[in-house]
Amino acid sequence: MSYQIHKLFPTYLHHIEDIPISDELLEHCLTKPDFDNNIKSNRGGKQSITTNEDSIIKDLIQKIIDENIQKVFKPELEIQGYWVNVNSRDNYNIYHCHPGAALAGVVYLQASEDSGDLVFYHPNAYSVYEESMAYTQDWNLTQHVQIQMHPKTGSCYIFPGHVMHGVEPNRTQDDRVSVSFNLIVRSSQ
């Protein structure tokens, strides 16, 4: 008798580390964007207006795509838009997704321990909870109902746009600064 366990329908999280973040880029993100009362998922902090204009920010996102994701993703990806997030102490981003985006991402320009974890939520948390608790440790089959990533300066996470996620409150005295973006599959026309 043979026994196997297969995982069904995994969700991919692309994680890029050690992205060089220049003082010029950080200064640009803190001074150039339009932060005029634009609130999407942010609570207490600031989010800029979504844009797709050419800038030092867009250049960084494009470089990340070209040097990483585009090597494993067959269709050509295009930046649909990006925006800057600045979260001071106790600011956070609520549970949300990115409708219309094939992939969504975030690059951390300034983040440290306790500046708020990026939390991804299982799309079927209610239905998988009981099963996830039933497996023994021996099999390493735990199905988490949420996964926490610990962002740091120079890290980037790219994931399917439908995946629900949020960012925990910043517990430091320093601003958490990030750039979020949406990617779409470039039309062949």
Side-chain angles (χ1 to χ4, degrees):
M1 182 181 310
S2 174
Y3 177 65
Q4 295 180 351
I5 299 174
H6 301 276
K7 292 184 178 182
L8 298 175
F9 315 117
T11 300
Y12 299 111
L13 171 64
H14 305 267
H15 182 191
I16 301 103
E17 288 275 336
D18 302 320
I19 299 165
I21 305 299
S22 68
D23 291 341
E24 177 188 11
L25 176 62
L26 184 59
E27 182 66 23
H28 178 85
C29 289
L30 291 171
T31 60
K32 298 291 186 205
D34 183 359
F35 289 112
D36 188 28
N37 296 320
N38 186 43
I39 298 174
K40 293 178 191 157
S41 66
N42 199 290
R43 295 300 179 264
K46 300 185 287 188
Q47 283 181 298
S48 70
I49 303 297
T50 301
T51 185
N52 202 18
E53 69 183 32
D54 290 336
S55 72
I56 188 173
I57 301 169
K58 188 173 181 179
D59 292 344
L60 175 66
I61 297 167
Q62 192 63 56
K63 181 177 179 168
I64 291 168
I65 294 165
D66 293 345
E67 293 181 6
N68 298 281
I69 306 304
Q70 210 59 76
K71 290 181 178 181
V72 297
F73 200 81
K74 289 180 188 177
E76 190 171 351
L77 291 166
E78 180 177 333
I79 300 169
Q80 184 182 43
Y82 65 87
W83 57 97
V84 176
N85 308 287
V86 179
N87 287 9
S88 299
R89 184 167 179 82
D90 297 327
N91 300 162
Y92 62 98
N93 295 79
I94 62 169
Y95 182 71
H96 66 284
C97 65
H98 296 243
L103 296 171
V106 59
V107 182
Y108 287 89
L109 309 182
Q110 182 173 286
S112 59
E113 189 175 344
D114 295 328
S115 66
D117 285 350
L118 173 61
V119 183
F120 294 98
Y121 300 93
H122 193 296
N124 300 309
Y126 178 81
S127 60
V128 301
Y129 179 77
E130 191 168 336
E131 179 192 7
S132 72
M133 297 293 129
Y135 291 107
T136 66
Q137 296 288 346
D138 300 342
W139 284 86
N140 191 22
L141 295 174
T142 305
Q143 289 227 28
H144 300 281
V145 293
Q146 72 179 35
I147 304 273
Q148 292 181 274
M149 305 306 293
H150 312 291
K152 62 181 184 180
T153 300
S155 60
C156 176
Y157 302 91
I158 299 176
F159 48 92
H162 69 270
V163 173
M164 297 299 285
H165 59 284
V167 185
E168 293 179 332
N170 180 359
R171 299 295 183 209
T172 72
Q173 297 301 322
D174 299 320
D175 288 340
R176 179 180 67 229
V177 182
S178 63
V179 174
S180 297
F181 55 92
N182 289 334
L183 304 174
I184 57 174
V185 174
R186 179 169 283 160
S187 172
S188 59
Q189 297 178 353

